[in-house]
Amino acid sequence: MEEILFSELLKSLKEANDIAEGMSEASRRFEITLPDVQSVREQIGLSQDEFASMMRVSVRTLQNWEKHRRNPTGSAAALLKIVVAAPDVALKSLHS
């Protein structure tokens, strides 16, 4: 059994290498589009300090998102989607 699993793992690694080197196409591709953080912040009318505080991140992190040097991930990305979808609910919930 272990030999079969190792063989399948090795095959997967070879396929991944071929894809990374452009010798093969990936079977599927996911593209995630994140909202523009600066636009979201400006639409709800918060300063960088206020928005960073609401998102529970440092102002520096927020600035990196706004300048596209970094992207929000995990719970920050999820919260940002909520802010876009329902800014009034998000603001009310996070300020209480």
Side-chain angles (χ1 to χ4, degrees):
M1 178 82 170
E2 288 181 19
E3 192 171 315
I4 292 171
L5 291 175
F6 180 77
S7 174
E8 289 176 2
L9 179 61
L10 188 58
K11 181 181 174 189
S12 293
L13 288 172
K14 287 179 181 179
E15 287 175 9
N17 188 56
D18 288 348
I19 292 168
E21 292 181 355
M23 297 184 329
S24 228
E25 293 261 341
S27 62
R28 57 190 150 160
R29 176 175 287 235
F30 298 96
E31 290 190 32
I32 300 170
T33 55
L34 295 171
D36 182 64
V37 178
Q38 184 173 357
S39 296
V40 172
R41 178 182 60 78
E42 289 172 348
Q43 285 174 3
I44 60 175
L46 295 179
S47 69
Q48 285 185 335
D49 286 337
E50 293 167 329
F51 196 69
S53 177
M54 182 188 83
M55 295 291 293
R56 309 295 198 268
V57 298
S58 70
V59 173
R60 189 72 161 155
T61 296
L62 177 65
Q63 290 169 343
N64 283 330
W65 293 346
E66 289 188 356
K67 298 296 180 189
H68 305 285
R69 290 185 291 252
R70 298 265 190 258
N71 291 313
T73 59
S75 57
L79 181 55
L80 191 57
K81 284 187 171 191
I82 293 168
V83 171
V84 169
D88 52 333
V89 174
L91 288 170
K92 184 179 177 183
S93 298
L94 295 169
H95 284 298
S96 60

